[in-house]
Amino acid sequence: MRTFGDCVLLTRVGSFYELYFEHAEKFGPLLNLKVATKKTTAGRVPMAGFPLGQLERALQVLVRDCGYHVAISEEIENTASRKVKSGGLMFDRRVSRIVTPGTLIDEQFVNPSENNFLLAAHLNTAASRSVTGQAAADTATNLDPPCIGLAWLDLTTGDFSTQQSSPLLLSAVVARLDPREIVLTSDAGTALLQDTLSKLQGTRHIVVHPMPPVQNTLQSSWSSVLDKFDLTAYESHSTTEEIRAGACLLDYVGSQLQGLKIKLQSPTQRQGTETMSIDQNSMRALEIKSTLKNGTSKGSLLHSIRRTVTHSGTRLLTDWLTAPSTSIKVIDGRLDLVACFLADPELQESIVHVLRDTFDSQRIVQKFSLGRGTVDDLVQLCKTIEAVQKIVATLTEDLERPASSIDTKTPGESSSIRPACLKDLLRRFELQRPHQLARQIAEAIDEEQMVRLQRLEDEATVAFDVNEANAVEGDSLSMGDKSQAHQRKSNEVAKASVGDALGADMEEIWLMRKSASLALNGLHDALGDLWRERAELEERLRQSHGAPSLTLRWTPGLGHICHVRGKDSHAPSASLRQARSVRASKSTRSFYLPEWTQLGGKLDAMKQRIRAEEQRIFQILRQEVVTNIPALRRNAAVLDELDIACSSASLAAQQRLVRPNLNLGTRHRIFGGRHPTVETGLEEQGRSFVKNDCLVGDEELIWLITGPNMAGKSTFLRQNALISILAQAGCFVPADYAEIGIVDRIFSRVGSADNVYRDESTFMVEMLETAAILKQATPRSFVIMDEVGRGTTPQDGIAMAYACLHHLYYTNRCRTLFATHFHDLAEMTGSLERIGRYCTDVSEHGDGSFSYVHRLRRGVNRESHALKVAGLAGIPKRALDEARHILEATRRGSDAH
């Protein structure tokens, strides 16, 4: 506990994990465990424990839910010499792994549709950047801001990336990655980084790790864990900060995994200019991954457009939405693929049908690279490889179809795009070696026996867990988790003998086919001979002893025994009476016979040899998977893109989406635009969404939007930002027509909230967000701002709102949608020729009712109609009447002046 003082220590004791001392007292109640005392040579110490099968449940509570680091101490059998040194102890204990939020591997509670990123950051506090190789040419001046090197990886998939950033842009990277844990190097820049990160929401788990020695960092620390790592190429294009962040990251992972060998993908060097930057405030305000109201996925952009059928496809879609591309070539490539499937629904359905039969091979192969893959994983990998072959055959067959048989009426698709698009996709698949691997797996593993074994193991596991839970008084952790049966096969072939597992005398279930190897086939023949010898012995003993009920059995506690029942147990023959009895009841008797003990020993030895041979075959298959990891990962990446393309095509057909046109200009020309999530919500209520046009960026750089409360100003702002994100993510968009100049950054200042914890008022939060926009927005950015200045007095608010407009117009010069209730801004900005003025309205009816006019028109609406909204909200009539009286008096006073 002293060595791992910052961890919760779980100590393996037989079939339990136990906590001691203050850990038992603090964490026992958290896990719903009864805290008892244990008598030791040092006196009584507090302790609490739970069965092995509940380790994942405990890790879920401690690591995922609470963010603690957990050190797992396992039993290691002592050698003869170590037994002498330890005073005869059978086992030593050693920490095998430290589990942290960012170093999860294959735990069942990891969300399969989300990445589990670990991020490392290194800050160079010098004014100028230190770069190597080609990157030196990119250094602008000695007045550059501090440079931050970032490196992140997902241990569940092996994805590893690095990027250079700055304090101003750090928010966007953190918002995109949503890391479960952040590691900082322990040097001069740590304090500044901690202060910057502490201001970002959702970054709870921040640790400081010593910086490993810089010399030979890449060669010694990186090459051994990276797949096909080109050291020279990486060094020539990377900054020193990136390299140091990566070194810190890998060193931290190595220390947490306690020497466990890992194999990661070679690092992808990301450039900030390759993707649209969306800072944390904008990510939340636009509800890209979760809603503002309750933080759940339902109602978010991702939830509204997701039609993917694989977990890995969903992870990639999330990445594309949170970091849309700025490359027209990349975007058009994605859109071409969507158009292919939109034009051919039959092909799309065929591909989706096959994709449903695939498994998450990204995470499966990573488990094998860590030495943790199971027989089940091999079978799933085999089925995924077979699915790839079906998809390739389907696409190839489709390419051979005559063009006249395919509907190519999709807007923006020419007849030449389709074959070129599919051929490019097919060229990326690698089939030969994965096909050989799949054949090896299919020829070696008996799936029917696996299903049978799994069913029996599930039954045995439930019974085992219940029995062990009863032994731990007060333990209320969830019982009977059948997924644990799968986990128990993580490092070896599952117990071939279900008879051993259940304590029954029955023939074994073997996971490998007899034909998996010549040696295994010979061993099974020998085992068959021994089984026949056993049957002959049993019959001979029945005849010689005159005991028809005699059976030869094996039990875990007694070993190989003879068993008789009924009258044979009451009046045994003279020879049976001389046999050594080991157990007896009123109607049964068990005893040893030398003939069965000897033959049983031969059977046990033969089974052990078969298990050893199965294990050898399994290890060969494991190594074959590791050898094929690059090809398997490449194929998995193509499957993910296919999943997204089919998903987007399905969505486009369902919701009447169109292909956007992207260019290098700085204007938005969106006709008939719709909000992707609001429209879905309205349709569920039987209502329709009102379309609106957005023509900002050319003659009118900024749109100043006024209108009543609840008339759709904020919706209009958000929908155009979301259309931009969808377009650059490579998706079709909700509009009649969309032409968009590439956006480098999106900024959103909408809604109101305070941050009491950091002593920030609503207006302070508003000004912080506004300051970030005015400092960072470029002529290629797209800004939406709603109600700037409302958190203070009207006079101060109008002044700040005008100042923001003035700065955006003259300094940032970026496309901006600016909604406000400060109607005087229309006159104050009269000299700014490239500001367009638009508004929504209210239509009042003769019976006193009213309806909102959500369609924008040119002009200024000086009525906010706040009292109408107050009435809809249920404000008492007396209060509303008083408000109307005050409002009328105020207006009369204004008119008099």
Side-chain angles (χ1 to χ4, degrees):
M1 291 179 69
R2 286 192 295 269
T3 305
F4 300 93
D6 59 341
C7 299
V8 181
L9 183 62
L10 299 180
T11 304
R12 171 84 175 268
V13 181
S15 58
F16 284 78
Y17 281 106
E18 296 183 352
L19 301 100
Y20 301 107
F21 300 106
E22 63 271 20
H23 285 185
E25 295 174 330
K26 180 178 180 180
F27 302 111
L30 185 64
L31 297 172
N32 290 326
L33 301 176
K34 180 180 179 180
V35 180
T37 57
K38 188 173 186 177
K39 191 175 182 179
T40 68
T41 55
R44 288 192 168 274
V45 299
M47 65 85 62
F50 55 86
L52 295 183
Q54 297 183 20
L55 176 60
E56 285 227 358
R57 169 65 175 137
L59 291 177
Q60 179 176 342
V61 173
L62 294 171
V63 179
R64 191 195 68 176
D65 298 343
C66 300
Y68 292 115
H69 292 193
V70 176
I72 302 176
S73 178
E74 297 286 0
E75 290 180 332
I76 309 295
E77 188 172 0
N78 277 330
T79 60
S81 60
R82 291 188 65 86
K83 286 179 184 177
V84 174
K85 292 180 180 179
S86 63
L89 293 176
M90 293 291 292
F91 296 97
D92 191 7
R93 289 186 174 82
R94 188 180 309 148
V95 171
S96 61
R97 182 183 167 201
I98 300 173
V99 185
T100 71
T103 58
L104 301 175
I105 298 175
D106 60 353
E107 282 70 21
Q108 297 295 317
F109 55 83
V110 174
N111 190 326
S113 298
E114 296 179 0
N115 283 108
N116 196 81
F117 283 123
L118 170 69
L119 172 67
H122 172 76
L123 174 65
N124 176 15
T125 54
S128 61
R129 297 177 296 190
S130 174
V131 296
T132 60
Q134 182 64 34
D138 300 328
T139 304
T141 70
N142 290 330
L143 300 177
D144 291 336
C147 176
I148 298 176
L150 300 174
W152 62 91
L153 68 83
D154 182 347
L155 270 178
T156 68
T157 62
D159 290 332
F160 182 24
S161 301
T162 65
Q163 181 179 326
Q164 177 181 290
S165 187
S166 68
L168 286 177
L169 300 178
L170 185 59
S171 169
V173 180
V174 173
R176 170 164 62 92
L177 298 176
D178 190 18
R180 301 300 187 264
E181 187 175 6
I182 300 177
V183 182
L184 307 180
T185 56
S186 55
D187 50 27
T190 301
L192 178 57
L193 272 176
Q194 283 183 310
D195 181 64
T196 302
L197 290 167
S198 66
K199 297 176 183 178
L200 305 179
Q201 296 186 16
T203 55
R204 293 177 298 161
H205 310 301
I206 300 177
V207 297
V208 178
H209 185 71
M211 183 67 203
V214 176
Q215 58 270 26
N216 299 324
T217 295
L218 292 177
Q219 188 63 46
S220 61
S221 303
W222 294 42
S223 299
S224 61
V225 300
L226 299 179
D227 183 33
K228 295 185 177 180
F229 180 47
D230 189 337
L231 174 63
T232 304
Y234 184 78
E235 279 189 302
S236 66
H237 293 89
S238 300
T239 64
T240 300
E241 289 70 34
E242 287 176 85
I243 293 173
R244 291 189 176 184
C248 177
L249 182 72
L250 294 181
D251 191 70
Y252 178 76
V253 169
S255 67
Q256 305 308 87
L257 298 185
Q258 294 288 298
L260 178 67
K261 292 183 178 180
I262 60 174
K263 204 70 174 177
L264 306 173
Q265 299 182 48
S266 292
T268 301
Q269 190 184 20
R270 303 289 187 98
Q271 300 292 336
T273 56
E274 293 175 350
T275 58
M276 178 196 296
S277 175
I278 309 173
D279 66 13
Q280 189 174 54
N281 295 326
S282 302
M283 193 79 72
R284 291 179 61 251
L286 296 175
E287 299 180 309
I288 294 175
K289 294 191 293 184
S290 60
T291 60
L292 278 169
K293 184 175 181 180
N294 50 27
T296 60
S297 173
K298 186 175 182 179
S300 67
L301 176 66
L302 176 62
H303 178 268
S304 297
I305 72 164
R306 175 187 167 183
R307 301 292 185 274
T308 48
V309 296
T310 67
H311 294 307
S312 53
T314 301
R315 294 197 299 269
L316 183 61
L317 177 61
T318 304
D319 181 59
W320 286 4
L321 285 179
T322 54
S325 177
T326 56
S327 166
I328 294 179
K329 181 180 179 181
V330 171
I331 297 169
D332 281 342
R334 295 174 184 175
L335 293 172
D336 287 345
L337 198 56
V338 176
C340 283
F341 291 115
L342 183 59
D344 193 346
E346 184 179 342
L347 175 63
Q348 175 209 332
E349 290 174 8
S350 299
I351 297 298
V352 170
H353 178 74
V354 179
L355 284 172
R356 292 184 189 277
D357 294 331
T358 64
F359 295 86
D360 195 343
S361 51
Q362 292 274 18
R363 285 187 166 168
I364 290 174
V365 299
Q366 182 63 8
K367 289 168 67 175
F368 280 101
S369 76
L370 294 164
R372 298 168 71 93
T374 67
V375 178
D376 288 338
D377 293 327
L378 283 176
V379 173
Q380 292 177 0
L381 199 57
C382 177
K383 291 180 178 178
T384 302
I385 295 171
E386 291 170 351
V388 168
Q389 294 165 347
K390 291 179 184 178
I391 287 174
V392 170
T394 301
L395 294 175
T396 302
E397 181 182 350
D398 185 79
L399 280 173
E400 295 171 354
R401 291 166 57 193
S404 59
S405 65
I406 302 170
D407 177 16
T408 56
K409 295 180 181 179
T410 303
E413 184 192 7
S414 68
S415 59
S416 62
I417 288 178
R418 179 185 179 81
C421 175
L422 294 182
K423 286 178 182 177
D424 287 343
L425 193 74
L426 286 170
R427 277 193 289 267
R428 294 170 56 195
F429 280 115
E430 185 169 335
L431 301 179
Q432 185 176 358
R433 293 186 63 185
H435 174 68
Q436 294 172 352
L437 173 63
R439 189 176 67 245
Q440 285 180 273
I441 294 172
E443 291 175 352
I445 297 175
D446 191 331
E447 281 192 63
E448 291 183 3
Q449 294 299 318
M450 277 189 61
V451 172
R452 184 182 171 201
L453 174 64
Q454 188 67 58
R455 187 185 70 252
L456 294 173
E457 269 200 339
D458 286 347
E459 295 171 359
T461 300
V462 172
F464 175 80
D465 285 348
V466 170
N467 289 337
E468 293 225 328
N470 291 335
V472 185
E473 184 181 355
D475 182 358
S476 63
L477 286 171
S478 63
M479 306 308 302
D481 185 355
K482 294 186 179 183
S483 67
Q484 302 304 326
H486 170 82
Q487 190 64 23
R488 286 173 182 154
K489 296 183 289 186
S490 61
N491 290 317
E492 59 182 23
V493 177
K495 287 185 178 180
S497 173
V498 178
D500 292 355
L502 303 181
D505 183 33
M506 60 185 293
E507 191 171 348
E508 278 70 6
I509 295 177
W510 304 104
L511 299 183
M512 298 293 173
R513 300 182 189 274
K514 296 178 182 180
S515 58
S517 74
L518 291 175
L520 188 59
N521 194 56
L523 290 172
H524 274 289
D525 288 344
L527 181 64
D529 293 339
L530 289 173
W531 277 113
R532 285 188 288 273
E533 189 176 339
R534 173 192 181 278
E536 293 169 359
L537 174 62
E538 187 175 62
E539 184 59 31
R540 189 167 63 249
L541 290 173
R542 288 173 179 172
Q543 296 291 337
S544 62
H545 295 297
S549 67
L550 184 147
T551 55
L552 303 179
R553 296 186 177 184
W554 177 90
T555 67
L558 301 176
H560 296 89
I561 58 173
C562 293
H563 182 80
V564 293
R565 65 179 186 276
K567 64 178 182 178
D568 295 334
S569 66
H570 296 304
S573 64
S575 58
L576 288 183
R577 284 196 298 270
Q578 295 175 2
R580 184 162 67 91
S581 179
V582 293
R583 186 169 61 190
S585 68
K586 292 181 179 180
S587 59
T588 63
R589 182 172 175 240
S590 300
F591 49 89
Y592 289 129
L593 281 180
E595 299 99 315
W596 173 226
T597 301
Q598 184 179 9
L599 179 59
K602 291 181 180 179
L603 278 167
D604 288 345
M606 188 57 63
K607 293 174 189 176
Q608 189 60 38
R609 291 178 65 186
I610 291 176
R611 292 189 190 105
E613 178 62 14
E614 284 200 340
Q615 183 68 23
R616 187 187 70 82
I617 296 169
F618 178 63
Q619 292 299 339
I620 290 174
L621 292 175
R622 262 187 173 178
Q623 188 55 47
E624 284 297 313
V625 172
V626 173
T627 303
N628 281 275
I629 280 178
L632 294 171
R633 281 175 169 159
R634 188 157 47 248
N635 290 349
V638 181
L639 290 182
D640 293 344
E641 292 179 28
L642 271 173
D643 191 15
I644 295 177
C646 290
S647 165
S648 297
S650 174
L651 182 73
Q654 292 170 6
Q655 299 188 1
R656 310 174 309 281
L657 309 185
V658 299
R659 175 171 182 158
N661 297 315
L662 284 301
N663 56 53
L664 295 178
T666 56
R667 71 176 183 177
H668 273 54
R669 288 175 52 81
I670 298 173
F671 294 94
R674 313 187 302 275
H675 193 295
T677 59
V678 174
E679 182 181 34
T680 302
L682 289 175
E683 287 177 348
E684 291 175 356
Q685 303 171 34
R687 300 163 60 192
S688 60
F689 187 90
V690 177
K691 303 177 183 180
N692 268 305
D693 303 339
C694 178
L695 310 174
V696 66
D698 277 345
E699 293 83 5
E700 297 175 336
L701 182 64
I702 298 174
W703 275 24
L704 180 65
I705 304 169
T706 55
N709 291 291
M710 293 285 292
K713 298 190 302 298
S714 294
T715 299
F716 177 75
L717 267 59
R718 288 183 171 99
Q719 81 184 34
N720 287 289
L722 293 178
I723 288 173
S724 304
I725 289 170
L726 287 173
Q728 291 185 216
C731 301
F732 281 33
V733 299
D736 297 334
Y737 175 83
E739 179 187 331
I740 299 172
I742 290 293
V743 176
D744 64 351
R745 301 177 189 177
I746 275 187
F747 294 98
S748 172
R749 156 81 287 281
V750 297
S752 61
D754 56 18
N755 190 341
V756 179
Y757 177 76
R758 297 193 63 85
D759 194 25
E760 293 171 355
S761 67
T762 302
F763 185 67
M764 183 60 170
V765 171
E766 178 186 322
M767 288 298 100
L768 287 171
E769 295 176 3
T770 302
I773 294 172
L774 300 183
K775 288 179 180 178
Q776 299 177 46
T778 73
R780 302 203 67 86
S781 299
F782 184 56
V783 173
I784 63 172
M785 303 189 80
D786 188 19
E787 305 300 344
V788 172
R790 67 173 156 188
T792 184
T793 65
Q795 294 82 1
D796 288 349
I798 291 175
M800 278 306 311
Y802 176 81
C804 289
L805 280 170
H806 190 275
H807 196 281
L808 289 166
Y809 188 91
Y810 284 108
T811 303
N812 303 106
R813 305 190 309 281
C814 58
R815 289 161 279 183
T816 303
L817 301 179
F818 195 100
T820 184
H821 284 291
F822 295 141
H823 310 127
D824 291 343
L825 288 175
E827 284 76 32
M828 294 172 68
T829 58
S831 62
L832 306 181
E833 297 178 355
R834 293 182 65 195
I835 289 186
R837 295 157 187 82
Y838 295 84
C839 66
T840 55
D841 216 331
V842 162
S843 177
E844 301 193 67
H845 309 298
D847 59 358
S849 63
F850 69 95
S851 60
Y852 290 109
V853 179
H854 297 289
R855 187 174 301 280
L856 266 70
R857 63 175 175 82
R858 188 177 290 277
V860 178
N861 190 330
R862 300 183 181 278
E863 292 288 341
S864 292
H865 297 281
L867 300 190
K868 289 184 171 62
V869 177
L872 292 175
I875 297 295
K877 184 176 182 301
R878 183 174 179 180
L880 284 174
D881 290 341
E882 184 66 21
R884 289 191 186 94
H885 174 71
I886 296 299
L887 182 61
E888 291 171 1
T890 303
R891 285 175 174 171
R892 286 195 298 268
S894 298
D895 293 341
H897 290 292

